[in-house]
Amino acid sequence: MSEFATRIKSTEEAADKIRLLMVDDHPVVRFGLAALLGLQPDLEVIDCCPDGDAALAVLQAIPVDIVLVDLRMPGLSGIETIRKIHQTSPQARPIILSSFEYDEEIYEAVNAGAFGYLHKDAPAEEILRAIRQVHTGHQAFPRRIAERLSNRQMTAGLSSREREILELVAKGLTNKEVANALRISQFTVRNHLNHIAAKLEVSDRTEAIFVAIQTGLIKVP
């Protein structure tokens, strides 16, 4: 085979591959998954980005088919990144990549335009199947999540009182100040904050505020 024919064949093979972009702020996840995906003959990892802004810059320069997006990242949130992907590169199809399975995050990500959900601990076969499935134009959600979506059972997770308390805490109020504002005891405020942390799968109030703002649960001026 001539050198020219070899180059043509190589170009055609590259064009047939599913082009992937990884977006995750954890290097171990980015490069570990990229190494796995890079071994597949029908996949090509275009780039691995630590945040949403870097991913959007790549998408403006290089065509991509599938974008694996972490939901909880510093700076631009995963949900906002997914929204901007549709504006920047409408042919690219985002898939959620997360260590969490919190209803509100998944629901908001689907509304933003996510085509699927992958847990970071998912088996390699499930990850590869989801990527190929979304590339063919289908959605790829685990049955447990698909059922909750189809039955409209995705809930915000936090009660109106819990949101109210978290918004006040996000504005800088202490537990005592929140208790006085809402005319409840500090003990009740502390219990609510513990429940909020458990529901959002976070360790403290600072992280709870960060997640709640990123997922649209609360809005703080």
Side-chain angles (χ1 to χ4, degrees):
M1 184 181 291
S2 69
E3 182 180 349
F4 177 75
T6 301
R7 287 203 304 269
I8 292 294
K9 182 178 180 181
S10 177
T11 301
E12 290 175 345
E13 289 175 348
D16 289 339
K17 291 187 176 183
I18 302 172
R19 295 160 299 186
L20 297 165
L21 177 62
M22 293 273 305
V23 192
D24 195 295
D25 61 315
H26 295 96
V28 173
V29 175
R30 285 201 309 274
F31 298 114
L33 190 51
L36 166 68
L37 300 176
L39 295 174
Q40 304 303 311
D42 61 331
L43 306 181
E44 179 183 7
V45 179
I46 299 297
D47 206 343
C48 297
C49 299
D51 56 56
D53 287 322
L56 294 171
V58 171
L59 287 169
Q60 289 177 341
I62 305 172
V64 171
D65 300 310
I66 301 293
V67 188
L68 300 179
V69 186
D70 188 12
L71 286 184
R72 299 186 182 183
M73 299 184 290
L76 202 63
S77 73
I79 291 170
E80 190 57 33
T81 298
I82 291 172
R83 289 195 183 99
K84 289 183 179 294
I85 285 172
H86 283 287
Q87 299 169 5
T88 304
S89 186
Q91 81 282 355
R93 294 172 178 168
I95 298 176
I96 302 165
L97 182 67
S98 182
S99 298
F100 304 93
E101 213 171 280
Y102 178 54
D103 280 5
E104 180 69 13
E105 285 181 301
I106 298 174
Y107 181 76
E108 290 295 329
V110 170
N111 281 343
F115 283 78
Y117 168 89
L118 286 170
H119 195 282
K120 289 181 182 179
D121 291 334
E125 295 78 8
E126 182 179 334
I127 294 173
L128 295 172
R129 183 170 59 250
I131 290 170
R132 291 165 180 147
Q133 192 170 325
V134 169
H135 184 248
T136 61
H138 299 89
Q139 292 186 330
F141 293 97
R143 179 175 295 179
R144 63 188 180 280
I145 292 175
E147 288 176 352
R148 278 144 61 191
L149 284 170
S150 63
N151 294 331
R152 298 185 179 182
Q153 291 176 350
M154 287 284 187
T155 65
L158 301 186
S159 67
S160 59
R161 175 62 91 182
E162 288 169 339
R163 290 187 189 217
E164 188 177 23
I165 288 173
L166 196 54
E167 284 179 351
L168 291 174
V169 172
K171 291 176 181 178
L173 274 67
T174 64
N175 285 11
K176 182 178 181 180
E177 290 169 334
V178 172
N180 290 337
L182 300 180
R183 297 183 178 180
I184 57 179
S185 70
Q186 292 185 59
F187 177 78
T188 301
V189 173
R190 187 169 66 251
N191 275 349
H192 276 303
L193 288 173
N194 288 337
H195 292 155
I196 290 168
K199 287 181 178 180
L200 298 183
E201 300 179 67
V202 298
S203 58
D204 56 41
R205 61 201 288 160
T206 301
E207 192 177 357
I209 292 167
F210 173 77
V211 170
I213 292 174
Q214 280 213 324
T215 56
L217 278 173
I218 64 172
K219 298 187 184 300
V220 180

Short mmCIF file of all heavy atoms in Angstrom, two decimals, residues 17-23 37 43-47 59 63-69 85 89 91-96 115 118 127 130-138:
data_model
loop_
_atom_site.label_atom_id
_atom_site.label_comp_id
_atom_site.label_asym_id
_atom_site.label_seq_id
_atom_site.Cartn_x
_atom_site.Cartn_y
_atom_site.Cartn_z
N LYS A 17 -14.16 7.12 14.28
CA LYS A 17 -14.11 6.95 15.73
C LYS A 17 -15.03 7.94 16.45
O LYS A 17 -15.29 9.04 15.95
CB LYS A 17 -12.67 7.13 16.23
CG LYS A 17 -11.72 6.01 15.82
CD LYS A 17 -10.37 6.19 16.48
CE LYS A 17 -9.46 5.01 16.14
NZ LYS A 17 -8.15 5.12 16.84
N ILE A 18 -15.48 7.53 17.64
CA ILE A 18 -16.27 8.42 18.49
C ILE A 18 -15.29 9.33 19.23
O ILE A 18 -14.43 8.85 19.97
CB ILE A 18 -17.10 7.62 19.50
CG1 ILE A 18 -18.04 6.65 18.77
CG2 ILE A 18 -17.90 8.55 20.40
CD1 ILE A 18 -18.77 5.69 19.68
N ARG A 19 -15.41 10.62 19.02
CA ARG A 19 -14.49 11.58 19.63
C ARG A 19 -15.00 12.00 21.00
O ARG A 19 -16.12 12.51 21.13
CB ARG A 19 -14.32 12.80 18.71
CG ARG A 19 -13.64 12.46 17.38
CD ARG A 19 -13.91 13.52 16.34
NE ARG A 19 -15.35 13.63 16.07
CZ ARG A 19 -15.86 14.40 15.12
NH1 ARG A 19 -15.07 15.14 14.36
NH2 ARG A 19 -17.17 14.45 14.93
N LEU A 20 -14.15 11.81 22.02
CA LEU A 20 -14.55 12.03 23.42
C LEU A 20 -13.79 13.18 24.06
O LEU A 20 -12.61 13.40 23.78
CB LEU A 20 -14.29 10.78 24.25
CG LEU A 20 -15.07 9.51 23.88
CD1 LEU A 20 -14.44 8.32 24.55
CD2 LEU A 20 -16.51 9.65 24.31
N LEU A 21 -14.48 13.89 24.94
CA LEU A 21 -13.85 14.93 25.76
C LEU A 21 -14.18 14.63 27.21
O LEU A 21 -15.34 14.39 27.56
CB LEU A 21 -14.38 16.31 25.37
CG LEU A 21 -13.87 17.51 26.19
CD1 LEU A 21 -12.36 17.64 26.06
CD2 LEU A 21 -14.58 18.79 25.77
N MET A 22 -13.16 14.62 28.07
CA MET A 22 -13.35 14.37 29.50
C MET A 22 -13.30 15.69 30.27
O MET A 22 -12.39 16.50 30.04
CB MET A 22 -12.23 13.47 30.03
CG MET A 22 -12.25 12.06 29.48
SD MET A 22 -13.30 11.01 30.47
CE MET A 22 -12.60 11.24 32.08
N VAL A 23 -14.26 15.91 31.19
CA VAL A 23 -14.26 17.12 32.01
C VAL A 23 -14.44 16.72 33.46
O VAL A 23 -15.54 16.35 33.89
CB VAL A 23 -15.39 18.09 31.59
CG1 VAL A 23 -15.17 19.45 32.26
CG2 VAL A 23 -15.48 18.24 30.09
N LEU A 37 -10.50 4.34 27.99
CA LEU A 37 -11.23 4.63 26.75
C LEU A 37 -10.30 4.63 25.54
O LEU A 37 -10.69 4.26 24.44
CB LEU A 37 -11.95 5.97 26.86
CG LEU A 37 -12.98 6.09 27.99
CD1 LEU A 37 -13.53 7.50 28.07
CD2 LEU A 37 -14.11 5.09 27.78
N LEU A 43 -12.95 4.43 19.76
CA LEU A 43 -12.99 5.66 20.55
C LEU A 43 -11.69 6.44 20.43
O LEU A 43 -10.62 5.86 20.32
CB LEU A 43 -13.26 5.35 22.03
CG LEU A 43 -14.49 4.51 22.38
CD1 LEU A 43 -14.59 4.35 23.89
CD2 LEU A 43 -15.76 5.15 21.83
N GLU A 44 -11.82 7.76 20.49
CA GLU A 44 -10.64 8.62 20.49
C GLU A 44 -10.84 9.72 21.53
O GLU A 44 -11.79 10.51 21.44
CB GLU A 44 -10.42 9.26 19.12
CG GLU A 44 -9.22 10.19 19.07
CD GLU A 44 -9.04 10.88 17.73
OE1 GLU A 44 -9.93 10.73 16.87
OE2 GLU A 44 -8.04 11.58 17.55
N VAL A 45 -9.96 9.75 22.53
CA VAL A 45 -10.03 10.78 23.57
C VAL A 45 -9.34 12.03 23.04
O VAL A 45 -8.12 12.06 22.88
CB VAL A 45 -9.38 10.31 24.88
CG1 VAL A 45 -9.46 11.43 25.93
CG2 VAL A 45 -10.05 9.05 25.39
N ILE A 46 -10.12 13.06 22.76
CA ILE A 46 -9.59 14.31 22.20
C ILE A 46 -8.80 15.10 23.23
O ILE A 46 -7.72 15.61 22.96
CB ILE A 46 -10.73 15.19 21.64
CG1 ILE A 46 -11.47 14.46 20.52
CG2 ILE A 46 -10.20 16.53 21.15
CD1 ILE A 46 -10.62 14.14 19.31
N ASP A 47 -9.35 15.20 24.46
CA ASP A 47 -8.68 15.98 25.50
C ASP A 47 -9.28 15.65 26.86
O ASP A 47 -10.38 15.08 26.94
CB ASP A 47 -8.83 17.48 25.22
CG ASP A 47 -7.70 18.31 25.83
OD1 ASP A 47 -6.99 17.79 26.71
OD2 ASP A 47 -7.52 19.47 25.42
N LEU A 59 -13.99 22.73 22.78
CA LEU A 59 -15.14 22.52 21.90
C LEU A 59 -15.24 23.58 20.80
O LEU A 59 -15.75 23.31 19.72
CB LEU A 59 -16.44 22.50 22.72
CG LEU A 59 -16.65 21.25 23.58
CD1 LEU A 59 -17.81 21.46 24.54
CD2 LEU A 59 -16.91 20.04 22.71
N PRO A 63 -14.06 19.47 16.86
CA PRO A 63 -15.36 18.79 16.91
C PRO A 63 -15.30 17.58 17.84
O PRO A 63 -14.34 16.81 17.82
CB PRO A 63 -15.61 18.37 15.46
CG PRO A 63 -14.24 18.29 14.85
CD PRO A 63 -13.43 19.36 15.52
N VAL A 64 -16.31 17.44 18.68
CA VAL A 64 -16.38 16.34 19.65
C VAL A 64 -17.77 15.72 19.59
O VAL A 64 -18.76 16.42 19.37
CB VAL A 64 -16.10 16.87 21.08
CG1 VAL A 64 -16.37 15.80 22.12
CG2 VAL A 64 -14.66 17.36 21.19
N ASP A 65 -17.84 14.41 19.77
CA ASP A 65 -19.12 13.71 19.73
C ASP A 65 -19.74 13.55 21.11
O ASP A 65 -20.94 13.78 21.30
CB ASP A 65 -18.94 12.32 19.11
CG ASP A 65 -18.41 12.39 17.69
OD1 ASP A 65 -18.99 13.14 16.88
OD2 ASP A 65 -17.42 11.69 17.39
N ILE A 66 -18.92 13.12 22.09
CA ILE A 66 -19.42 12.84 23.44
C ILE A 66 -18.56 13.60 24.45
O ILE A 66 -17.34 13.62 24.35
CB ILE A 66 -19.33 11.33 23.76
CG1 ILE A 66 -20.14 10.50 22.76
CG2 ILE A 66 -19.80 11.06 25.20
CD1 ILE A 66 -21.63 10.70 22.84
N VAL A 67 -19.24 14.22 25.44
CA VAL A 67 -18.53 14.91 26.52
C VAL A 67 -18.94 14.29 27.85
O VAL A 67 -20.11 14.30 28.21
CB VAL A 67 -18.85 16.42 26.54
CG1 VAL A 67 -17.93 17.12 27.54
CG2 VAL A 67 -18.69 17.03 25.16
N LEU A 68 -17.97 13.72 28.57
CA LEU A 68 -18.23 13.19 29.91
C LEU A 68 -18.00 14.32 30.90
O LEU A 68 -16.88 14.84 31.01
CB LEU A 68 -17.29 12.02 30.20
CG LEU A 68 -17.40 10.82 29.24
CD1 LEU A 68 -16.39 9.74 29.64
CD2 LEU A 68 -18.81 10.25 29.23
N VAL A 69 -19.05 14.71 31.62
CA VAL A 69 -19.00 15.91 32.46
C VAL A 69 -19.25 15.58 33.93
O VAL A 69 -20.31 15.05 34.28
CB VAL A 69 -20.05 16.95 32.00
CG1 VAL A 69 -19.90 18.24 32.79
CG2 VAL A 69 -19.94 17.21 30.50
N ILE A 85 -22.44 23.77 26.60
CA ILE A 85 -22.03 22.85 25.54
C ILE A 85 -23.03 22.89 24.40
O ILE A 85 -22.66 22.90 23.21
CB ILE A 85 -21.89 21.42 26.09
CG1 ILE A 85 -20.61 21.29 26.93
CG2 ILE A 85 -21.86 20.39 24.96
CD1 ILE A 85 -20.48 19.98 27.67
N SER A 89 -21.36 23.87 21.10
CA SER A 89 -21.14 22.72 20.23
C SER A 89 -22.38 21.82 20.27
O SER A 89 -22.37 20.76 20.90
CB SER A 89 -19.90 21.95 20.70
OG SER A 89 -19.58 20.91 19.83
N GLN A 91 -23.67 19.69 18.42
CA GLN A 91 -23.56 18.30 17.97
C GLN A 91 -22.97 17.40 19.06
O GLN A 91 -23.11 16.18 19.01
CB GLN A 91 -22.71 18.20 16.70
CG GLN A 91 -21.21 18.21 16.90
CD GLN A 91 -20.65 19.60 17.17
OE1 GLN A 91 -21.38 20.58 17.11
NE2 GLN A 91 -19.37 19.70 17.46
N ALA A 92 -22.32 18.00 20.06
CA ALA A 92 -21.73 17.22 21.15
C ALA A 92 -22.81 16.79 22.13
O ALA A 92 -23.71 17.57 22.46
CB ALA A 92 -20.66 18.04 21.86
N ARG A 93 -22.73 15.55 22.60
CA ARG A 93 -23.74 15.02 23.52
C ARG A 93 -23.14 14.77 24.89
O ARG A 93 -22.29 13.90 25.05
CB ARG A 93 -24.33 13.73 22.95
CG ARG A 93 -25.13 13.98 21.66
CD ARG A 93 -25.55 12.73 20.97
NE ARG A 93 -26.35 13.04 19.78
CZ ARG A 93 -26.67 12.17 18.85
NH1 ARG A 93 -26.26 10.91 18.95
NH2 ARG A 93 -27.39 12.53 17.80
N PRO A 94 -23.57 15.53 25.90
CA PRO A 94 -23.01 15.39 27.25
C PRO A 94 -23.58 14.17 27.98
O PRO A 94 -24.76 13.85 27.87
CB PRO A 94 -23.43 16.68 27.95
CG PRO A 94 -23.97 17.58 26.87
CD PRO A 94 -24.49 16.67 25.81
N ILE A 95 -22.72 13.53 28.75
CA ILE A 95 -23.10 12.44 29.65
C ILE A 95 -22.60 12.82 31.04
O ILE A 95 -21.44 13.19 31.21
CB ILE A 95 -22.49 11.10 29.23
CG1 ILE A 95 -22.99 10.68 27.84
CG2 ILE A 95 -22.83 10.00 30.24
CD1 ILE A 95 -22.35 9.40 27.32
N ILE A 96 -23.48 12.72 32.03
CA ILE A 96 -23.10 13.02 33.41
C ILE A 96 -22.09 11.99 33.90
O ILE A 96 -22.26 10.78 33.69
CB ILE A 96 -24.33 12.98 34.34
CG1 ILE A 96 -25.40 13.96 33.87
CG2 ILE A 96 -23.93 13.26 35.79
CD1 ILE A 96 -26.76 13.70 34.50
N PHE A 115 -27.53 13.54 28.11
CA PHE A 115 -28.09 12.39 27.42
C PHE A 115 -27.98 11.10 28.23
O PHE A 115 -28.55 10.08 27.86
CB PHE A 115 -27.39 12.18 26.07
CG PHE A 115 -27.84 13.12 25.00
CD1 PHE A 115 -27.38 14.43 24.96
CD2 PHE A 115 -28.72 12.72 24.01
CE1 PHE A 115 -27.78 15.31 23.98
CE2 PHE A 115 -29.14 13.59 23.02
CZ PHE A 115 -28.67 14.90 23.00
N LEU A 118 -23.52 8.39 34.28
CA LEU A 118 -22.57 7.34 34.62
C LEU A 118 -22.02 7.60 36.02
O LEU A 118 -21.57 8.71 36.32
CB LEU A 118 -21.39 7.31 33.64
CG LEU A 118 -21.66 6.74 32.25
CD1 LEU A 118 -20.46 7.02 31.34
CD2 LEU A 118 -21.93 5.24 32.33
N ILE A 127 -19.80 1.80 31.10
CA ILE A 127 -19.33 3.10 30.59
C ILE A 127 -19.23 3.07 29.07
O ILE A 127 -19.71 3.99 28.39
CB ILE A 127 -17.96 3.45 31.21
CG1 ILE A 127 -18.12 3.69 32.72
CG2 ILE A 127 -17.36 4.70 30.54
CD1 ILE A 127 -16.80 3.87 33.46
N ALA A 130 -22.71 2.94 27.44
CA ALA A 130 -23.41 4.24 27.49
C ALA A 130 -22.87 5.19 26.43
O ALA A 130 -23.65 5.88 25.75
CB ALA A 130 -23.25 4.85 28.88
N ILE A 131 -21.57 5.25 26.28
CA ILE A 131 -20.96 6.14 25.29
C ILE A 131 -21.43 5.78 23.88
O ILE A 131 -21.85 6.65 23.11
CB ILE A 131 -19.42 6.07 25.38
CG1 ILE A 131 -18.94 6.74 26.67
CG2 ILE A 131 -18.77 6.74 24.16
CD1 ILE A 131 -17.47 6.52 26.97
N ARG A 132 -21.39 4.51 23.56
CA ARG A 132 -21.80 4.08 22.22
C ARG A 132 -23.30 4.27 22.01
O ARG A 132 -23.75 4.61 20.91
CB ARG A 132 -21.39 2.62 22.02
CG ARG A 132 -19.87 2.44 21.92
CD ARG A 132 -19.43 1.02 22.08
NE ARG A 132 -17.96 0.90 21.97
CZ ARG A 132 -17.23 0.02 22.64
NH1 ARG A 132 -17.81 -0.85 23.46
NH2 ARG A 132 -15.91 -0.01 22.47
N GLN A 133 -24.07 4.05 23.06
CA GLN A 133 -25.53 4.21 22.97
C GLN A 133 -25.91 5.66 22.72
O GLN A 133 -26.74 5.96 21.85
CB GLN A 133 -26.16 3.72 24.28
CG GLN A 133 -27.67 3.55 24.23
CD GLN A 133 -28.18 2.83 25.47
OE1 GLN A 133 -27.52 1.95 26.00
NE2 GLN A 133 -29.35 3.21 25.93
N VAL A 134 -25.29 6.57 23.45
CA VAL A 134 -25.58 8.00 23.27
C VAL A 134 -25.11 8.47 21.91
O VAL A 134 -25.76 9.29 21.26
CB VAL A 134 -24.92 8.83 24.40
CG1 VAL A 134 -24.97 10.33 24.09
CG2 VAL A 134 -25.59 8.55 25.73
N HIS A 135 -24.00 7.94 21.44
CA HIS A 135 -23.49 8.33 20.12
C HIS A 135 -24.46 7.96 19.00
O HIS A 135 -24.52 8.64 17.97
CB HIS A 135 -22.13 7.66 19.87
CG HIS A 135 -21.49 8.08 18.59
ND1 HIS A 135 -21.33 7.22 17.51
CD2 HIS A 135 -21.01 9.27 18.18
CE1 HIS A 135 -20.76 7.87 16.52
NE2 HIS A 135 -20.55 9.11 16.88
N THR A 136 -25.24 6.92 19.21
CA THR A 136 -26.22 6.51 18.19
C THR A 136 -27.53 7.29 18.31
O THR A 136 -28.48 7.02 17.56
CB THR A 136 -26.51 5.01 18.29
OG1 THR A 136 -27.06 4.71 19.58
CG2 THR A 136 -25.25 4.18 18.07
N GLY A 137 -27.59 8.21 19.26
CA GLY A 137 -28.78 9.06 19.37
C GLY A 137 -29.74 8.67 20.47
O GLY A 137 -30.82 9.25 20.59
N HIS A 138 -29.37 7.70 21.30
CA HIS A 138 -30.24 7.25 22.39
C HIS A 138 -29.74 7.80 23.73
O HIS A 138 -28.59 8.21 23.86
CB HIS A 138 -30.28 5.73 22.44
CG HIS A 138 -30.82 5.09 21.20
ND1 HIS A 138 -30.02 4.75 20.13
CD2 HIS A 138 -32.08 4.75 20.84
CE1 HIS A 138 -30.76 4.22 19.18
NE2 HIS A 138 -32.01 4.21 19.58
#
